[in-house]
mmCIF file of all heavy atoms in Angstrom:
data_model
loop_
_atom_site.group_PDB
_atom_site.id
_atom_site.type_symbol
_atom_site.label_atom_id
_atom_site.label_comp_id
_atom_site.label_asym_id
_atom_site.label_seq_id
_atom_site.Cartn_x
_atom_site.Cartn_y
_atom_site.Cartn_z
ATOM 1 N N MET G 1351 50.441 34.835 95.817
ATOM 2 C CA MET G 1351 49.092 34.776 95.186
ATOM 3 C C MET G 1351 49.252 34.756 93.700
ATOM 4 O O MET G 1351 49.951 35.620 93.148
ATOM 5 C CB MET G 1351 48.349 36.075 95.702
ATOM 6 C CG MET G 1351 46.980 36.118 95.205
ATOM 7 S SD MET G 1351 45.951 37.556 95.689
ATOM 8 C CE MET G 1351 46.712 38.100 97.147
ATOM 9 N N ASN G 1352 48.501 33.865 93.065
ATOM 10 C CA ASN G 1352 48.627 33.830 91.561
ATOM 11 C C ASN G 1352 47.461 34.555 90.894
ATOM 12 O O ASN G 1352 46.559 35.094 91.567
ATOM 13 C CB ASN G 1352 48.689 32.354 91.063
ATOM 14 C CG ASN G 1352 47.450 31.575 91.557
ATOM 15 O OD1 ASN G 1352 46.410 32.095 91.691
ATOM 16 N ND2 ASN G 1352 47.751 30.294 91.870
ATOM 17 N N GLN G 1355 43.849 33.381 91.694
ATOM 18 C CA GLN G 1355 43.355 33.758 92.968
ATOM 19 C C GLN G 1355 42.953 35.278 92.977
ATOM 20 O O GLN G 1355 41.948 35.570 93.552
ATOM 21 C CB GLN G 1355 44.456 33.539 94.036
ATOM 22 C CG GLN G 1355 44.684 32.078 94.346
ATOM 23 C CD GLN G 1355 45.811 31.830 95.262
ATOM 24 O OE1 GLN G 1355 46.818 32.593 95.184
ATOM 25 N NE2 GLN G 1355 45.717 30.870 96.179
ATOM 26 N N LYS G 1356 43.761 36.057 92.269
ATOM 27 C CA LYS G 1356 43.440 37.449 92.243
ATOM 28 C C LYS G 1356 42.073 37.722 91.561
ATOM 29 O O LYS G 1356 41.221 38.490 91.977
ATOM 30 C CB LYS G 1356 44.521 38.248 91.496
ATOM 31 C CG LYS G 1356 45.816 38.301 92.254
ATOM 32 C CD LYS G 1356 46.941 39.041 91.449
ATOM 33 C CE LYS G 1356 48.252 39.004 92.225
ATOM 34 N NZ LYS G 1356 49.276 39.639 91.490
ATOM 35 N N SER G 1358 39.697 35.534 91.234
ATOM 36 C CA SER G 1358 38.718 34.909 92.072
ATOM 37 C C SER G 1358 38.260 35.805 93.172
ATOM 38 O O SER G 1358 37.061 35.912 93.504
ATOM 39 C CB SER G 1358 39.179 33.600 92.665
ATOM 40 O OG SER G 1358 39.430 32.662 91.646
ATOM 41 N N ILE G 1359 39.210 36.504 93.786
ATOM 42 C CA ILE G 1359 38.927 37.428 94.865
ATOM 43 C C ILE G 1359 37.967 38.532 94.398
ATOM 44 O O ILE G 1359 36.917 38.815 95.011
ATOM 45 C CB ILE G 1359 40.196 38.064 95.434
ATOM 46 C CG1 ILE G 1359 40.980 37.000 96.235
ATOM 47 C CG2 ILE G 1359 39.881 39.246 96.351
ATOM 48 C CD1 ILE G 1359 42.401 37.540 96.632
ATOM 49 N N MET G 1362 34.460 36.895 93.536
ATOM 50 C CA MET G 1362 33.647 36.452 94.731
ATOM 51 C C MET G 1362 33.256 37.655 95.518
ATOM 52 O O MET G 1362 32.088 37.622 96.047
ATOM 53 C CB MET G 1362 34.608 35.615 95.655
ATOM 54 C CG MET G 1362 34.960 34.233 95.066
ATOM 55 S SD MET G 1362 36.101 33.431 96.199
ATOM 56 C CE MET G 1362 36.357 31.880 95.386
ATOM 57 N N MET G 1367 30.310 37.786 98.641
ATOM 58 C CA MET G 1367 30.978 37.016 99.656
ATOM 59 C C MET G 1367 31.862 37.948 100.606
ATOM 60 O O MET G 1367 32.298 38.939 100.157
ATOM 61 C CB MET G 1367 31.900 35.987 99.074
ATOM 62 C CG MET G 1367 31.196 34.861 98.384
ATOM 63 S SD MET G 1367 32.319 33.623 97.598
ATOM 64 C CE MET G 1367 32.907 32.808 99.059
ATOM 65 N N THR G 1368 31.940 37.607 101.807
ATOM 66 C CA THR G 1368 32.705 38.320 102.806
ATOM 67 C C THR G 1368 34.170 38.008 102.631
ATOM 68 O O THR G 1368 34.596 37.004 102.037
ATOM 69 C CB THR G 1368 32.350 38.047 104.264
ATOM 70 O OG1 THR G 1368 32.601 36.658 104.552
ATOM 71 C CG2 THR G 1368 30.829 38.300 104.497
ATOM 72 N N PHE G 1369 35.043 38.847 103.181
ATOM 73 C CA PHE G 1369 36.507 38.631 103.107
ATOM 74 C C PHE G 1369 36.866 37.358 103.778
ATOM 75 O O PHE G 1369 37.722 36.616 103.276
ATOM 76 C CB PHE G 1369 37.240 39.815 103.784
ATOM 77 C CG PHE G 1369 37.221 41.038 102.953
ATOM 78 C CD1 PHE G 1369 36.755 42.211 103.533
ATOM 79 C CD2 PHE G 1369 37.684 41.118 101.664
ATOM 80 C CE1 PHE G 1369 36.699 43.426 102.808
ATOM 81 C CE2 PHE G 1369 37.685 42.296 100.903
ATOM 82 C CZ PHE G 1369 37.185 43.467 101.503
ATOM 83 N N SER G 1370 36.266 37.010 104.910
ATOM 84 C CA SER G 1370 36.623 35.764 105.592
ATOM 85 C C SER G 1370 36.202 34.581 104.795
ATOM 86 O O SER G 1370 36.948 33.530 104.781
ATOM 87 C CB SER G 1370 36.014 35.763 107.004
ATOM 88 O OG SER G 1370 34.624 35.894 106.940
ATOM 89 N N GLU G 1371 35.023 34.619 104.191
ATOM 90 C CA GLU G 1371 34.638 33.477 103.303
ATOM 91 C C GLU G 1371 35.605 33.251 102.130
ATOM 92 O O GLU G 1371 35.949 32.169 101.826
ATOM 93 C CB GLU G 1371 33.202 33.703 102.813
ATOM 94 C CG GLU G 1371 32.157 33.708 103.843
ATOM 95 C CD GLU G 1371 30.778 34.142 103.390
ATOM 96 O OE1 GLU G 1371 30.691 34.759 102.285
ATOM 97 O OE2 GLU G 1371 29.773 33.878 104.070
ATOM 98 N N ILE G 1372 35.979 34.327 101.560
ATOM 99 C CA ILE G 1372 36.918 34.257 100.427
ATOM 100 C C ILE G 1372 38.257 33.673 100.895
ATOM 101 O O ILE G 1372 38.865 32.793 100.261
ATOM 102 C CB ILE G 1372 37.151 35.661 99.759
ATOM 103 C CG1 ILE G 1372 35.829 36.138 99.103
ATOM 104 C CG2 ILE G 1372 38.220 35.583 98.668
ATOM 105 C CD1 ILE G 1372 35.835 37.593 98.704
ATOM 106 N N ALA G 1373 38.715 34.190 102.025
ATOM 107 C CA ALA G 1373 40.040 33.740 102.538
ATOM 108 C C ALA G 1373 39.977 32.226 102.879
ATOM 109 O O ALA G 1373 40.921 31.478 102.553
ATOM 110 C CB ALA G 1373 40.406 34.484 103.818
ATOM 111 N N ASN G 1374 38.937 31.797 103.447
ATOM 112 C CA ASN G 1374 38.751 30.331 103.772
ATOM 113 C C ASN G 1374 38.702 29.509 102.516
ATOM 114 O O ASN G 1374 39.376 28.436 102.423
ATOM 115 C CB ASN G 1374 37.538 30.110 104.614
ATOM 116 C CG ASN G 1374 37.649 30.664 106.037
ATOM 117 O OD1 ASN G 1374 38.776 30.811 106.540
ATOM 118 N ND2 ASN G 1374 36.550 30.964 106.626
ATOM 119 N N GLN G 1375 37.969 29.966 101.526
ATOM 120 C CA GLN G 1375 37.841 29.190 100.295
ATOM 121 C C GLN G 1375 39.131 29.128 99.456
ATOM 122 O O GLN G 1375 39.468 28.080 98.925
ATOM 123 C CB GLN G 1375 36.694 29.811 99.454
ATOM 124 C CG GLN G 1375 36.299 28.872 98.302
ATOM 125 C CD GLN G 1375 34.992 29.294 97.669
ATOM 126 O OE1 GLN G 1375 34.374 30.220 98.111
ATOM 127 N NE2 GLN G 1375 34.652 28.627 96.554
ATOM 128 N N LEU G 1376 39.840 30.235 99.419
ATOM 129 C CA LEU G 1376 41.163 30.182 98.671
ATOM 130 C C LEU G 1376 42.396 29.801 99.479
ATOM 131 O O LEU G 1376 43.435 29.801 99.017
ATOM 132 C CB LEU G 1376 41.326 31.620 98.061
ATOM 133 C CG LEU G 1376 40.284 32.070 97.062
ATOM 134 C CD1 LEU G 1376 40.579 33.463 96.580
ATOM 135 C CD2 LEU G 1376 40.257 31.083 95.871
ATOM 136 N N GLN G 1377 42.142 29.594 100.799
ATOM 137 C CA GLN G 1377 43.221 29.270 101.750
ATOM 138 C C GLN G 1377 44.297 30.301 101.751
ATOM 139 O O GLN G 1377 45.515 30.046 101.659
ATOM 140 C CB GLN G 1377 43.804 27.871 101.403
ATOM 141 C CG GLN G 1377 42.741 26.718 101.541
ATOM 142 C CD GLN G 1377 43.372 25.421 101.178
ATOM 143 O OE1 GLN G 1377 44.395 25.349 100.581
ATOM 144 N NE2 GLN G 1377 42.604 24.348 101.425
ATOM 145 N N LEU G 1378 43.802 31.554 101.970
ATOM 146 C CA LEU G 1378 44.748 32.660 102.124
ATOM 147 C C LEU G 1378 44.458 33.402 103.355
ATOM 148 O O LEU G 1378 43.432 33.234 103.951
ATOM 149 C CB LEU G 1378 44.503 33.714 100.914
ATOM 150 C CG LEU G 1378 44.823 33.255 99.501
ATOM 151 C CD1 LEU G 1378 44.348 34.204 98.494
ATOM 152 C CD2 LEU G 1378 46.364 33.094 99.408
ATOM 153 N N SER G 1379 45.344 34.233 103.775
ATOM 154 C CA SER G 1379 45.144 35.072 105.001
ATOM 155 C C SER G 1379 43.972 36.101 104.672
ATOM 156 O O SER G 1379 43.981 36.685 103.566
ATOM 157 C CB SER G 1379 46.436 35.797 105.387
ATOM 158 O OG SER G 1379 46.178 36.891 106.231
ATOM 159 N N ILE G 1380 43.223 36.404 105.674
ATOM 160 C CA ILE G 1380 42.152 37.344 105.476
ATOM 161 C C ILE G 1380 42.708 38.780 105.200
ATOM 162 O O ILE G 1380 42.188 39.528 104.348
ATOM 163 C CB ILE G 1380 41.181 37.373 106.669
ATOM 164 C CG1 ILE G 1380 39.974 38.338 106.290
ATOM 165 C CG2 ILE G 1380 41.906 37.862 107.956
ATOM 166 C CD1 ILE G 1380 38.852 38.171 107.339
ATOM 167 N N ASN G 1381 43.880 39.056 105.802
ATOM 168 C CA ASN G 1381 44.435 40.365 105.576
ATOM 169 C C ASN G 1381 45.021 40.494 104.117
ATOM 170 O O ASN G 1381 45.013 41.545 103.561
ATOM 171 C CB ASN G 1381 45.608 40.640 106.598
ATOM 172 C CG ASN G 1381 45.033 40.846 107.996
ATOM 173 O OD1 ASN G 1381 43.920 41.348 108.098
ATOM 174 N ND2 ASN G 1381 45.732 40.384 108.956
ATOM 175 N N THR G 1382 45.491 39.386 103.590
ATOM 176 C CA THR G 1382 45.997 39.364 102.197
ATOM 177 C C THR G 1382 44.811 39.645 101.246
ATOM 178 O O THR G 1382 44.961 40.421 100.311
ATOM 179 C CB THR G 1382 46.625 37.977 101.926
ATOM 180 O OG1 THR G 1382 47.658 37.723 102.782
ATOM 181 C CG2 THR G 1382 47.170 37.941 100.452
ATOM 182 N N VAL G 1383 43.711 39.011 101.551
ATOM 183 C CA VAL G 1383 42.505 39.249 100.657
ATOM 184 C C VAL G 1383 42.055 40.678 100.769
ATOM 185 O O VAL G 1383 41.788 41.314 99.742
ATOM 186 C CB VAL G 1383 41.359 38.256 101.045
ATOM 187 C CG1 VAL G 1383 40.108 38.567 100.317
ATOM 188 C CG2 VAL G 1383 41.838 36.817 100.859
#
Side-chain angles (χ1 to χ4, degrees):
M1351 182 180 337
N1352 58 32
Q1355 289 174 324
K1356 291 176 181 180
S1358 297
I1359 290 171
M1362 290 177 182
M1367 292 179 71
T1368 64
F1369 289 122
S1370 58
E1371 292 171 343
I1372 295 169
N1374 290 337
Q1375 191 167 355
L1376 297 177
Q1377 298 177 349
L1378 294 170
S1379 163
I1380 188 169
N1381 291 327
T1382 303
V1383 174

